Amino acid sequence: MTAQYQIVMRSGPNAGRTYPLEVNEAVIGRDTANFISINDAEVSRKHAKLTRLDQGYAIEDLGSTNGTFINGQRIVARHALRPGDLISLGENITMNYEAVTDPNATMVSSPKAVSARAPKAAAAQPPPPPPPAYSGQVPAGPVPVEQPRKKRSPLLAIGLVIFLLLCLCGVLFWLVDFLNLYCTLLPFLFPGAC
């Protein structure tokens, strides 16, 4: 028999949803790019990581704020999961780690037995109702719209230029006075002083 593994959301915004594990690494967190994305304020953007082992998966916390718990115990290092383990993220999110076995994987069956087990055409069923609103959800932010650039008032630039010119004139007059150059450079302005 071959075993496949899955995560089943027990409580949280995606309660009842099953995530088959068919990858080597799967990140769990609030970021929508994660393998398991959970829209909850207590879940970090990249909260925990599942890593495939020879027999199953291991989980490790990625430095989350509210912690990762296995069967009620907070983990601080990589932890090998066993089927039936309860994974908790913070206080609101719980998931089960399960092994799914295929009993027919190693059995040889006759064509007659296969056709007897063939599923019958299912009657058309209405789509499932939308999931209920979840109180811990983080609202999706508004779609960023590029704002037109505001025109800057030229008064600030003009004021800055005038201020710099006044400072420059003040420095020049100070240098002329400090070096006693007013008699040499500008004797016609100070006829009695020179």
Side-chain angles (χ1 to χ4, degrees), residues 17-30:
R17 185 161 178 198
T18 300
Y19 300 91
L21 296 175
E22 300 168 346
V23 294
N24 290 330
E25 287 187 350
V27 176
I28 303 171
R30 202 172 65 236

Side-chain angles (χ1 to χ4, degrees), residues 64-78:
S64 66
T65 303
N66 294 311
T68 302
F69 300 82
I70 304 299
N71 301 322
Q73 298 294 316
R74 188 172 190 154
I75 60 170
V76 293
R78 190 175 186 181

Side-chain angles (χ1 to χ4, degrees), residues 9 44-45 60 70 72 77 100 103 121 130 134 136 168 183 190:
M9 183 75 69
S44 297
R45 282 188 170 80
E60 62 184 294
I70 304 299
V100 182
Y134 176 69
L168 183 63
C183 289
F190 308 100

Side-chain angles (χ1 to χ4, degrees), residues 65-113:
T65 303
N66 294 311
T68 302
F69 300 82
I70 304 299
N71 301 322
Q73 298 294 316
R74 188 172 190 154
I75 60 170
V76 293
R78 190 175 186 181
H79 179 85
L81 292 169
R82 293 184 309 259
D85 279 349
L86 181 69
I87 302 168
S88 303
L89 307 178
E91 293 180 8
N92 297 328
I93 308 301
T94 57
M95 302 174 281
N96 276 100
Y97 173 73
E98 299 176 353
V100 182
T101 57
D102 182 5
N104 298 315
T106 58
M107 296 174 65
V108 176
S109 53
S110 66
K112 193 184 271 186

Side-chain angles (χ1 to χ4, degrees), residues 32-48:
T32 57
N34 292 331
F35 180 77
I36 299 176
S37 177
I38 303 170
N39 186 8
D40 184 88
E42 288 191 358
V43 176
S44 297
R45 282 188 170 80
K46 293 192 182 300
H47 196 101

